[in-house]
Amino acid sequence: MSAPASLVVVPPIRLGVNIDHVATVRNARGGALPDPVRAAMLAAAAGADGITAHLREDRRHVRDDDMRRLRETLTIPLNFEMAATHEMVAIAIELRPHACCLVPERREERTTEGGLDVIGGGIDLAHRVEQLATSGIRVSLFVAPDTDQIVRAADIGAAVVELHTGSWCDLRVAGRQDEAVAELERLTGAAEQATTLGLEVHAGHGLDYVTAEIMAANAHVRELNIGHFLVGEAIFEGLETAIRRMRAAMARGRAQLRAGKAA
Ligand SMILES: CC(=O)[C@@H](O)[C@H](O)COP(=O)(O)O
Ligand SMILES: NCC(=O)COP(=O)(O)O
């Protein structure tokens, strides 16, 4: 017999707003506007719990000065997304953001493809995780919902895994429902496994209002990082409205948990 809704303890869920693609628009003309830092401040005022920014090796969108200004300006946590390279570790240790999320990166990719190969990263990756963690930075690894990769993430001392929701979102958009259901089951299992290993569970990539609500109905998921969709919606409704609508969607997901109605 399930507990009455009033007794179900549901942990809060945070929204990290990724401002990469404000910088994409800025860079389209080579000028200073729109300023991604202004977007981050607006996002914070609209209810974002944190800001995520991805300093890519090719600096195609977020640039070093953006990350510095974000660090100097934000009063909410900064999640510095980066490849696990010597260059980026050095920048992160100098800036000391609240958190780093290590992501796979290939110059020729249009966006992040797949999760970090934690197992293949070997001792070098383990050493970089340790360097960041001993600098007081919370380390997250951006991984596919893969059991062995998640075990290895815990083994090398990551505090967080961020589950790559991109495949699931792409399958839904493509109308490949059966495969999407199977991928959601993988994500659900991975979230539970990661929790049992003592990892905090985040999720991100490709999320929109509908898929964010579904992710928020998973009690193991404590943070969603969302960017591209929000920046797109901001073109039509404004960033503040888009963020408020996203938070409402996440709240609906958590409400389903409380009511014992989550899938
Ligand atoms: C890791 C991830 O899914 C995103 O946070 C990442 O920033 C995507 O890269 P782009 O923002 O360059 O598309
Ligand atoms: N780590 C995921 C993220 O920060 C945003 O991804 P997206 O919403 O821009 O696809």
Side-chain angles (χ1 to χ4, degrees):
M1 178 176 152
S2 60
S6 58
L7 294 181
V8 175
V9 177
V10 175
I13 186 168
R14 298 184 300 271
L15 171 62
V17 174
N18 184 314
I19 48 87
D20 289 354
H21 298 296
V22 178
T24 298
V25 175
R26 188 261 321 266
N27 296 355
R29 285 286 177 87
L33 302 177
D35 183 359
V37 176
R38 179 185 174 199
M41 299 304 287
L42 281 170
D49 297 295
I51 296 298
T52 291
H54 184 180
L55 183 64
R56 281 180 168 266
E57 173 267 336
D58 62 11
R59 278 61 172 189
R60 67 179 70 172
H61 39 55
V62 172
R63 299 208 169 128
D64 298 62
D65 184 57
D66 298 324
M67 204 59 90
R68 180 185 58 75
R69 290 187 299 126
L70 285 168
R71 180 68 181 87
E72 290 172 354
T73 310
L74 285 176
T75 56
I76 60 174
L78 172 61
N79 177 33
F80 183 142
E81 272 189 350
M82 54 186 251
T85 60
H86 178 72
E87 176 197 21
M88 288 300 158
V89 168
I91 294 171
I93 289 174
E94 181 190 353
L95 285 180
R96 274 193 176 51
H98 167 72
C100 281
C101 182
L102 304 183
V103 304
E105 214 177 270
R106 292 184 308 120
R107 183 180 279 265
E108 61 276 15
E109 67 185 5
R110 182 164 57 185
T111 187
T112 300
E113 298 166 351
L116 190 69
D117 182 3
V118 186
I119 296 168
I123 193 65
D124 284 347
L125 178 61
H127 180 55
R128 292 193 174 141
V129 168
E130 182 186 20
Q131 281 180 289
L132 293 164
T134 51
S135 299
I137 300 169
R138 188 199 70 195
V139 180
S140 173
L141 303 183
F142 188 76
V143 296
D146 178 296
T147 302
D148 295 336
Q149 295 288 356
I150 291 169
V151 167
R152 182 65 180 154
D155 287 346
I156 66 172
V160 178
V161 285
E162 180 169 329
L163 299 179
H164 192 330
T165 53
S167 299
W168 172 52
C169 295
D170 291 346
L171 287 167
R172 286 174 55 91
V173 169
R176 294 159 59 181
Q177 277 306 96
D178 291 347
E179 293 165 271
V181 167
E183 183 68 8
L184 179 59
E185 287 170 356
R186 286 184 70 208
L187 287 163
T188 303
E192 183 171 2
Q193 177 210 7
T195 300
T196 59
L197 291 170
L199 293 161
E200 183 170 296
V201 180
H202 300 176
H205 198 99
L207 294 173
D208 60 19
Y209 295 135
V210 173
T211 49
E213 181 177 337
I214 295 168
M215 274 294 118
N218 182 323
H220 298 295
V221 177
R222 305 298 300 275
E223 180 173 304
L224 298 181
N225 285 295
I226 306 173
H228 185 264
F229 175 75
L230 285 173
V231 173
E233 285 300 294
I235 293 169
F236 306 106
E237 298 189 307
L239 186 59
E240 179 179 357
T241 298
I243 288 171
R244 293 193 191 287
R245 287 185 63 181
M246 184 58 74
R247 289 194 61 93
M250 292 165 65
R252 288 194 298 272
R254 275 314 207 237
Q256 289 163 33
L257 266 180
R258 286 189 192 87
K261 294 174 182 172

